[in-house]
Amino acid sequence: MTKPTPTSTSTSAHTGRKVTANIALTLDGRYNGPGGPGDISAILPYATTEVARDHLGRIWENATTALLGRVNAEGFLGYWPAVAADEGADPRDRGYAKWLVDTEKVVLSTTLTASPWERARVVNAPAAEVVAELRSHGEGDILVNTSPSITKALLAADLLDRLYLLICPEIAGDGDRLFDDGLPGSRWRLSRRETGELGEMALVYDRVR
């Protein structure tokens, strides 16, 4: 298990790599429903629409590193490699799948001692420290890929530069919210907006600093 050397998170200490995050939310701001982490019934119907697939293609186009939590890594890396190998898959899905398989992956975990996946390393350290280490070298965006715990931690530390949101037109009524009380105040600029036939919206927000 590796741990990065702490690095300053100030803008003068890094290479200029952007930190981005992708997540789907209900109208009441939840990424899962009352059934717990596996309850994505309010999100699933909108995940494969034309707007959602186009949105998926945008999130990784400038990214060279995927930052994942362990649970997401286990789910994604158990599913997407088969899509990458499927010549009949939607080209947008396959493009994302190939990127995920081939790109550098950093998995945050307190329980794993080694990575079971290729081109992936496991790190036991706070998200802010890991991002600081990643920003100290290399190039390309660092994408926090549908990992709400990491996204929350980076929002709390004001380290996110871009948010890719898929807003699903349902109210879950209960479940976990992304934007918890107590976050530092911040301002965001809407850089892109698309609306699908089912009422879903793909939004891109850039942090104004």
Side-chain angles (χ1 to χ4, degrees):
M1 188 176 297
T2 60
K3 183 171 181 177
T5 302
T7 307
S8 170
T9 58
S10 69
T11 56
S12 62
H14 63 73
T15 58
R17 300 182 73 183
K18 288 184 177 180
V19 184
T20 69
N22 169 60
I23 198 164
L25 301 173
T26 60
L27 284 179
D28 49 344
R30 304 178 193 275
Y31 52 86
N32 59 45
D39 182 2
I40 55 171
S41 57
I43 290 170
L44 200 58
Y46 311 96
T48 56
T49 65
E50 291 297 302
V51 163
R53 280 189 157 123
D54 288 344
H55 188 64
L56 181 68
R58 284 189 292 273
I59 70 170
W60 62 269
E61 60 185 354
N62 296 315
T64 55
T65 302
L67 184 56
L68 302 160
R70 178 189 59 81
V71 173
N72 293 86
E74 289 174 344
F76 288 172
L77 298 174
Y79 173 77
W80 286 106
V83 178
D86 182 3
E87 295 183 358
D90 185 285
R92 294 161 294 186
D93 292 353
R94 197 175 185 207
Y96 166 77
K98 286 182 174 181
W99 170 82
L100 184 63
V101 169
D102 294 339
T103 201
E104 174 193 34
K105 291 170 285 289
V106 179
V107 180
L108 301 192
S109 176
T110 59
T111 56
L112 290 177
T113 56
S115 171
W117 311 288
E118 293 184 2
R119 288 174 288 279
R121 62 186 173 103
V122 173
V123 179
N124 180 6
E129 287 186 18
V130 175
V131 163
E133 186 269 334
L134 289 171
R135 294 179 90 178
S136 69
H137 59 87
E139 58 184 15
D141 292 353
I142 301 159
L143 172 64
V144 181
N145 203 357
T146 317
S147 295
S149 61
I150 300 176
T151 301
K152 286 183 177 186
L154 296 181
L155 282 169
D158 196 16
L159 289 175
L160 282 181
D161 301 303
R162 171 170 285 186
L163 278 168
Y164 294 97
L165 302 178
L166 181 69
I167 306 300
C168 304
E170 297 194 20
I171 293 175
D174 199 357
D176 296 313
R177 284 196 173 99
L178 180 66
F179 300 108
D180 293 329
D181 291 342
L183 289 174
S186 58
R187 187 161 65 92
W188 299 76
R189 180 181 67 253
L190 180 63
S191 300
R192 190 180 185 108
R193 177 181 61 194
E194 290 189 24
T195 304
E197 293 184 357
L198 299 179
E200 74 280 12
M201 288 195 299
L203 306 173
V204 181
Y205 280 99
D206 286 312
R207 176 74 169 93
V208 178
R209 299 190 186 278

